[in-house]
């Protein structure tokens, strides 16, 4: 029995009274029996003043019983849950009890009769919100469910009940039924075009190991059938294919299996397929992109190849291409107008751009600060390295008579010397530099020396400044002297830059190839700068290509200092990372959907760059440097592939059997949306009812108002209906989509205003109910009980005991009894104290 004191502060008198009575006992001649009675009377009075009580019990708390009646449970389990709920309600008698059926909606049953409800969902959040409204002063909730909630916010609703003093007890419903498998998703790559091969995926979940047959249909016709062995893990089935025609197409994935719910064994999707794709490949030398183009053509992508100088800077000329590929193109090969056109081609026109790496692209190609860097998803900064690598730089400068100019703006040698002097200032201590000048002979203007040691920087620059003109031009001899000496230098990065405006009269191409091949074996890279139209541009481009460097054409001699300085900065930063590795996905992305990451072939190198904050890294190196990066730029998309297209680093990748499909899927991701145009149609699913929304614009971009707009809708069974769209905003029209059944719906919208007529298409697939996309979730039920302060029950009897209604008991006060006893003892104490009660001897 629990005793409580209403005014316990009176109990503080007890120690004082004990001291007083002790003192009286020592000083008074009062009989001991009287003294004891007086102490007892005083004690009774003090305790009575403290007002001791035995608390009573209140009436039973209000109870809300929620019985899950959703379709995820079998009929037997639903009936059993309802029987448990009604039994408990009846046992509680007159106690306040509410019984409600839980499904997509929550329906109260005042007569305890099992109601008919929408069973395609389990809105536990709404049920807990109902409890909050029904029990503002506290109470209890008994939830009978499998926990497969189709609504968010359950945890927050449980916390709100706890704060209101409402505890939720849960009784998990066990449903011993057969295994259930379901189609979770059909994934198709973006930007599909007619005739283009693609790789998608069908995702399947199963609650148990079983077998099934997967059937893929296209526009109602089965096109593939596959036997599957399902496990309890999610399974992703590759979906390769080719869409032959443009326009709105329907896909269906169907599992043929006898399981718990047939409703989730099929799923539909629609895709708007554009016209056959066309791609422009800008190649750094003739036929260098031939292998890439062949792979694209084999996948149904038409391509055209151009050299950088032939690329138009007019957007109207570029419009006919869905995407443009830059194959290892340096920024210097494109004029500022061309680069700006490429930027607007993506940003304003919504087309795609793919930049492929190599020794002449990204930071190696001088992209920093250009429109190319702006349009791409990466910055040209090299990711931080643990230790900077030492650089050995060789500048080979043509001093022949043709380098002479009468003015500072035409004197090529003076400009070349200015670039060489600037280059020495960029290098840091411990780097090495050598300057070799040549005409028909070669001379070490500055023999290789370490910056900070040997020759002082001022002396190096003074020697360069004193370089004077000579006679003819022998490029082969200068390379034969300079490159072997560069190979002897103790540095990780060995880079040579050749500047010349003339044509060499010695050696054939094969001899040059042997020189560059030997240099490459020592890790040397060679870049060339052709000065003016008289230079042997074909030879210099070949040398840079074979030498693993960059070729620059300086039509204006004043470009020499900038190009020389840029080559020095590239050598100093050394953004190349070489060595065999296997790229891996940085996360799920449509480009790599349907591919097995463990089957990706290895790469031998890449250009290290930094992804922009808004970009998505698709593939990355073991150091987490981006290999393939994408982003949305304005209306279009651009991709950055930092390895090459097979020349040096990606030979294994190019020979991989699925390389062509992946290149195609990369480009398809950047293709413009075929639904975009003067009339665009979409299905808005933000509300309870899907809406057909059409946006109409004139050629000048102004809204087309007061037009006659109608839509023809075809349902999954092939039945057609028409609806009229009403204008709701400038240029925007809307109407509800009549979608009763699950499956794919196609919508064709036609607009007419005066003599102008526009047409567009859209599609939408109504999925099966969310109730069939979930599995029982006992953990959710346990979380609800823990958060709200309730308990997890194990049986119907335990649930009945937990919420049974007990008879209330009033509060009992003890002070009258204590005072009465004190009054009865008082006369006895008087009689003993006065001697009226004495024992005779």
């Amino acid at each position: 029995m629990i005793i409580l004191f209403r005014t316990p502060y009176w109990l503080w008198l007890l120690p004082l009274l004990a001291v007083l009575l002790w003192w009286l006992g020592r000083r008074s001649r009062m009989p001991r029996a009287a003294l004891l009675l007086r102490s007892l009377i005083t004690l009774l009075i003090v305790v009575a003043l403290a007002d001791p009580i035995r608390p009573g019990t209140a009436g039973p708390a209000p109870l809300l019983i929620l019985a899950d009646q959703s379709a995820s449970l079998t009929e037997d389990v639903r009936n059993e849950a309802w029987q448990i709920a009604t039994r408990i309600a009846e046992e509680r008698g007159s106690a306040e009890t509410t019984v409600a059926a839980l499904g997509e909606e929550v329906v109260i049953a005042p007569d305890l009769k099992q109601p008919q409800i929408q069973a395609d969902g389990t809105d536990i959040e709404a049920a807990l919100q109902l409890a909050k409204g029904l029990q503002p002063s506290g109470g209890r909730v008994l939830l009978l469910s499998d926990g497969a909630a189709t609504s968010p916010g359950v945890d927050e609703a449980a916390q709100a009940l706890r704060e209101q003093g409402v505890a939720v007890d849960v009784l998990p419903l066990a449903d011993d039924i057969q295994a259930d498998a379901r189609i979770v998703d059909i994934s198709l790559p973006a930007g599909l075009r007619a005739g283009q091969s693609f790789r998608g995926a069908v995702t399947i979940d199963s609650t148990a190991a079983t077998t099934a047959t997967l059937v893929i249909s296209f526009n109602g016709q089965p096109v593939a059938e596959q036997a599957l062995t399902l496990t309890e893990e999610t399974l992703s089935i590759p979906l390769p294919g080719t869409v032959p025609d443009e326009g709105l197409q329907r896909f269906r994935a169907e599992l043929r299996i006898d399981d718990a719910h047939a409703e989730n064994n099929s799923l539909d999707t629609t895709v708007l397929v554009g016209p056959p794709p066309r791609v422009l490949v800008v190649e750094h030398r003739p036929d260098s992109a031939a292998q890439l183009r062949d792979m694209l053509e084999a996948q149904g992508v038409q391509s055209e190849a151009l050299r950088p100088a032939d690329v138009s800077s007019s957007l109207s000329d570029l419009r006919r291409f869905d995407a443009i590929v830059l194959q290892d193109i340096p920024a210097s090969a494109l004029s500022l107008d061309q680069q700006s056109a490429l930027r607007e081609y993506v940003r304003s026109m919504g087309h795609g751009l793919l930049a492929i790496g190599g020794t002449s692209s990204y930071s190696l190609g001088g992209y920093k600060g250009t429109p190319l860097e702006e349009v791409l998803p990466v910055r040209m900064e090299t990711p931080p390295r643990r230790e900077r690598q030492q650089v050995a730089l060789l500048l080979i400068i043509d001093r022949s008579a043709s380098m002479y100019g009468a003015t500072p703006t035409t004197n090529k040698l003076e400009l070349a010397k200015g670039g060489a002097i600037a280059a020495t200032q960029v290098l840091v201590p411990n780097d090495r530099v050598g300057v070799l000048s040549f005409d028909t002979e070669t001379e070490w203007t500055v023999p290789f020396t370490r910056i900070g040691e040997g020759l002082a920087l001022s002396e190096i620059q003074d020697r360069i400044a004193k370089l004077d003109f000579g006679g003819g031009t022998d490029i082969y001899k200068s390379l034969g002297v300079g490159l072997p000496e560069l190979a002897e230098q103790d540095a990780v990065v060995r880079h040579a830059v050749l500047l010349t405006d003339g044509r060499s009269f010695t050696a054939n191409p094969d001899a040059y190839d042997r020189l560059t091949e030997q240099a490459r074996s020592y890790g040397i890279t060679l870049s060339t700068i052709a000065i003016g139209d008289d230079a042997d541009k074909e030879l210099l481009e070949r040398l840079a290509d074979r030498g693993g460097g960059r070729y620059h054409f300086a039509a204006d001699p004043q470009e020499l200092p900038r190009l020389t300085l840029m080559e020095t900065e590239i050598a100093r930063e050394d953004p190349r990372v070489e060595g065999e590795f296997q790229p891996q996905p940085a996360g799920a992305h449509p480009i790599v959907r349907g591919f097995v990451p463990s089957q990706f072939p290895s790469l031998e190198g890449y250009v290290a760059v930094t992804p922009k904050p808004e970009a998505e890294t698709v593939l990355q190196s073991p150091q987490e440097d981006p290999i393939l990066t994408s982003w949305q730029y304005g209306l279009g998309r651009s991709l950055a592939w930092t390895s090459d297209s097979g020349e040096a680093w990606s030979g294994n990748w190019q020979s991989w059997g699925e390389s062509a499909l992946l290149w195609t899927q990369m480009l398809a991701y950047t293709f413009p949306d075929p639904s975009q145009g003067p009339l665009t149609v979409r299905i808005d699913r933000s509300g309870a009812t899907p809406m057909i929304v059409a946006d109409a614009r004139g050629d000048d971009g102004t809204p087309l108002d007061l037009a006659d707009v109608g839509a023809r809708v075809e349902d999954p069974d092939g039945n057609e209906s028409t609806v009229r769209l009403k204008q709701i905003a400038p240029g925007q029209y809307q109407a509800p989509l009549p979608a009763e059944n699950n499956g794919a719906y196609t919508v064709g919208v036609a607009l007419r205003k005066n003599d102008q007529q526009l047409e567009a298409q859209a599609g939408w697939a109504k999925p099966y109910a969310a109730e069939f996309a979930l599995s029982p979730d006992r953990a959710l039920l346990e979380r609800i009980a823990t958060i709200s302060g309730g308990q997890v029950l194990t049986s119907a009897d335990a649930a009945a005991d937990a919420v049974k209604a007990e008879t209330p008991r009033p509060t009992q006060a003890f002070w009258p009894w204590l005072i009465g006893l004190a009054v009865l003892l008082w006369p006895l104490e008087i009689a003993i104290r006065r001697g009226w009660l004495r024992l005779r001897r």
Side-chain angles (χ1 to χ4, degrees):
M1 182 174 65
I2 298 175
I3 302 297
L4 299 177
F5 293 91
R6 289 179 174 173
T7 54
Y9 49 83
W10 286 102
L11 297 176
W12 288 103
L13 292 174
L14 293 177
L16 180 61
L17 291 173
V19 174
L20 180 61
L21 291 171
W22 174 80
W23 183 82
L24 288 174
R26 295 289 301 271
R27 296 298 182 112
S28 174
R29 297 178 179 177
M30 185 184 300
R32 186 174 298 276
L35 185 60
L36 290 175
L37 282 175
R38 179 172 292 187
S39 299
L40 179 58
I41 291 169
T42 305
L43 175 63
L44 291 172
I45 292 173
V46 171
V47 174
L49 289 173
D51 195 5
I53 62 170
R54 184 182 71 177
T57 58
L63 175 66
L64 171 63
I65 306 176
L66 299 166
D68 194 339
Q69 299 290 287
S70 62
S72 63
L73 298 168
T74 61
E75 184 177 357
D76 290 342
V77 175
R78 293 198 299 268
N79 292 337
E80 181 184 358
W82 193 257
Q83 290 170 6
I84 294 172
T86 54
R87 183 191 114 192
I88 293 174
E90 291 169 351
E91 290 177 353
R92 283 173 58 86
S94 60
E96 183 181 346
T97 307
T98 305
V99 179
L102 168 60
E104 191 173 359
E105 54 189 348
V106 186
V107 178
I108 295 176
D111 55 0
L112 300 185
K113 291 184 178 179
Q114 193 169 1
Q116 296 295 321
I117 66 169
Q118 291 289 332
D120 289 344
T122 307
D123 196 346
I124 294 180
E125 181 198 15
L128 299 183
Q129 293 285 359
L130 173 65
K132 186 171 184 285
L134 289 177
Q135 301 173 349
S137 301
R140 296 190 75 85
V141 176
L142 176 60
L143 173 61
L144 296 81
S145 175
D146 62 353
T150 58
S151 58
V154 174
D155 290 356
E156 292 79 0
Q159 180 62 39
L161 286 179
R162 183 188 185 96
E163 294 171 357
Q164 195 166 291
V166 179
V168 182
D169 300 320
V170 298
L171 176 60
L173 296 178
D175 200 349
D176 298 327
I177 59 175
Q178 66 190 103
D180 185 46
R182 65 179 180 270
I183 304 288
V184 177
D185 184 39
I186 303 175
S187 302
L188 297 173
L192 278 180
R193 297 306 181 95
Q196 169 201 326
S197 299
F198 67 88
R199 173 67 61 83
V202 178
T203 306
I204 302 172
D205 269 350
S206 179
T207 61
T210 184
T211 59
T213 300
L214 175 65
V215 179
I216 305 297
S217 300
F218 177 66
N219 290 334
Q221 300 297 318
V223 294
E225 185 172 314
Q226 182 179 353
L228 301 177
T229 299
L230 305 179
T231 66
E232 295 185 31
E233 298 180 352
T234 298
L235 186 64
S236 181
I237 307 298
L239 177 61
T242 302
V243 183
D245 303 313
E246 60 183 284
L248 198 60
Q249 315 293 337
R250 307 184 189 195
F251 284 86
R252 164 171 283 198
E254 180 182 359
L255 276 180
R256 292 181 180 172
I257 185 176
D258 182 17
D259 63 354
H261 301 296
E263 294 87 347
N264 58 14
N265 289 344
S266 63
L267 192 65
D268 293 70
T269 190
T270 63
V271 60
L272 185 60
V273 179
R278 189 170 184 84
V279 171
L280 171 63
V281 179
V282 184
E283 53 187 10
H284 64 275
R285 54 184 172 81
D287 295 328
S288 60
Q291 184 181 7
L292 175 62
R293 292 184 59 203
D294 289 343
M295 288 191 290
L296 295 178
E297 296 282 351
Q299 298 297 317
V301 178
Q302 303 174 20
S303 67
E304 180 177 326
L306 291 176
R307 298 297 302 281
D310 299 325
V311 176
S312 175
S313 59
S314 170
L315 291 179
S316 58
D317 293 334
L318 300 178
R319 184 187 298 272
R320 63 193 180 98
F321 299 105
D322 295 297
I324 295 176
V325 178
L326 300 179
Q327 190 236 1
D328 194 20
I329 302 299
S332 59
L334 297 167
S335 68
L336 183 60
D337 287 343
Q338 288 175 310
Q339 295 181 41
S340 299
L342 290 175
R343 180 186 60 196
E344 296 309 312
Y345 172 80
V346 178
R347 180 168 64 182
S348 302
M349 296 178 59
H351 290 236
L353 178 68
L354 167 61
I356 296 177
T359 56
S360 300
S361 61
Y362 298 113
S363 52
L364 293 174
Y367 286 15
K368 187 174 180 61
T370 69
L372 291 181
E373 183 182 35
E374 184 179 344
V375 71
L376 290 175
V378 293
R379 298 195 306 265
M380 299 306 122
E381 287 84 1
T382 303
R385 300 299 180 206
R386 293 183 180 179
E387 183 178 353
R388 184 190 167 277
Q389 298 173 331
Q390 292 183 354
V391 175
L393 176 67
L394 170 63
L395 299 175
I396 306 176
I397 302 175
D398 186 350
R399 67 179 183 199
S400 62
S402 60
M403 295 284 285
Y404 174 77
T407 66
T409 60
T410 60
N411 193 317
K412 304 171 193 176
L413 182 58
E414 289 300 318
L415 293 169
K417 290 192 294 184
I421 291 172
T424 63
Q425 295 173 332
V426 171
L427 297 175
V428 299
N430 291 327
D431 287 340
R432 292 176 176 271
V433 64
V435 180
L436 182 68
S437 59
F438 73 94
D439 48 17
T440 54
E441 300 296 330
T442 61
E443 179 183 346
W444 283 102
T445 304
V446 178
F448 270 106
T449 186
R450 189 185 300 271
I451 302 295
E453 297 180 6
L455 295 176
L457 185 60
S458 59
E459 188 175 354
I460 294 173
Q461 294 175 351
D462 185 59
R463 289 190 180 189
I464 295 173
K466 291 179 179 179
L467 184 62
D468 204 356
F469 298 99
T473 305
D474 192 341
I475 296 174
Y476 180 81
K477 188 174 183 178
S478 67
L479 294 175
V481 171
L483 295 180
E485 188 67 23
L486 178 58
E488 296 295 326
Q489 302 307 308
D490 183 17
V492 177
V493 179
R494 301 182 180 94
H495 185 59
V497 182
L498 169 65
L499 303 90
T500 179
D501 72 338
R503 294 178 178 272
S504 181
F505 55 82
T506 61
N508 56 47
D510 292 338
Y512 282 110
D513 289 347
R514 286 191 293 272
L515 267 180
T516 54
E517 184 179 346
Q518 184 178 17
R520 292 293 288 144
S521 69
Y522 287 103
I524 294 173
T525 54
L526 171 65
S527 293
T528 59
I529 301 176
I531 310 169
D533 292 328
D534 291 337
D536 192 341
K537 295 188 284 291
E538 183 177 348
L539 171 63
L540 296 179
E541 187 172 359
R542 183 186 183 95
L543 286 172
D545 185 55
R546 300 294 193 275
R550 289 153 299 283
Y551 164 74
H552 306 279
F553 173 63
D556 184 351
Q558 294 186 70
E559 288 286 294
L560 283 177
R562 182 184 67 82
L563 293 175
T564 307
L565 184 61
M566 182 184 73
E567 280 295 322
T568 306
E569 290 177 336
I570 290 173
R572 186 190 62 179
E573 293 297 333
D574 189 29
R576 291 170 300 171
V577 178
E578 295 185 323
E580 187 174 1
F581 69 95
Q582 183 185 41
Q584 289 297 312
H589 197 278
I591 290 179
V592 293
R593 182 180 294 138
F595 292 91
V596 180
S598 61
Q599 296 179 358
F600 287 154
S602 61
L603 295 172
E604 298 291 337
Y606 60 94
V607 181
V609 292
T610 303
K612 293 178 180 177
E614 306 86 352
E616 292 181 276
T617 299
V618 183
L619 295 174
Q620 62 185 11
S621 71
Q623 293 79 25
E624 297 186 355
D625 291 341
I627 302 301
L628 177 61
T629 313
S630 73
W631 78 335
Q632 183 81 32
Y633 182 68
L635 299 178
R637 289 173 174 158
S638 67
L639 301 177
W641 170 261
T642 57
S643 190
D644 60 17
S645 59
E647 293 85 347
W649 296 330
S650 61
N652 293 335
W653 192 278
Q654 299 305 93
S655 59
W656 176 42
E658 296 189 313
S659 177
L661 188 57
L662 185 54
W663 281 115
T664 303
Q665 205 148 294
M666 280 189 209
L667 287 170
Y669 184 72
T670 72
F671 289 164
D673 187 350
S675 66
Q676 297 302 310
L679 177 63
T680 61
V681 181
R682 56 188 171 89
I683 308 300
D684 184 359
R685 303 182 293 277
S686 59
T689 302
M691 305 294 293
I692 305 171
V693 180
D695 291 282
R697 295 287 184 271
D699 294 337
D700 57 356
T702 58
L704 287 178
D705 296 327
L706 304 177
D708 182 17
V709 184
R712 184 182 298 274
V713 180
E714 183 178 334
D715 68 14
D717 298 324
N719 302 315
E720 292 188 351
S721 60
T722 58
V723 295
R724 309 299 301 176
L725 278 69
K726 296 181 180 179
Q727 186 167 358
I728 61 169
Q732 189 172 93
Y733 303 81
Q734 177 179 284
L737 172 66
E740 297 294 331
N741 302 323
N742 298 341
Y745 291 79
T746 60
V747 180
V749 175
L751 176 146
R752 176 177 296 177
K753 182 178 182 182
N754 302 327
D755 295 334
Q756 189 172 11
Q757 296 185 27
L758 300 174
E759 294 183 356
Q761 291 179 300
W764 176 62
K766 183 179 181 181
Y768 50 78
E771 183 71 13
F772 302 110
L774 299 169
S775 300
D777 191 351
R778 182 185 177 93
L780 174 67
L781 297 176
E782 293 174 350
R783 204 163 64 244
I784 292 172
T786 301
I787 293 174
S788 66
Q791 54 187 326
V792 179
L793 306 168
T794 57
S795 66
D797 292 339
D801 290 340
V803 297
K804 67 182 179 181
E806 297 182 352
T807 304
R809 183 186 65 214
T811 299
Q812 182 179 1
F814 294 101
W815 71 266
W817 297 93
L818 298 172
I819 295 298
L821 182 58
V823 171
L824 290 175
L825 293 176
W826 191 12
L828 181 61
E829 185 268 341
I830 295 174
I832 294 174
R833 177 166 44 86
R834 294 186 177 183
W836 297 343
L837 293 177
R838 289 183 178 177
L839 295 176
R840 295 180 181 270
R841 294 184 178 179

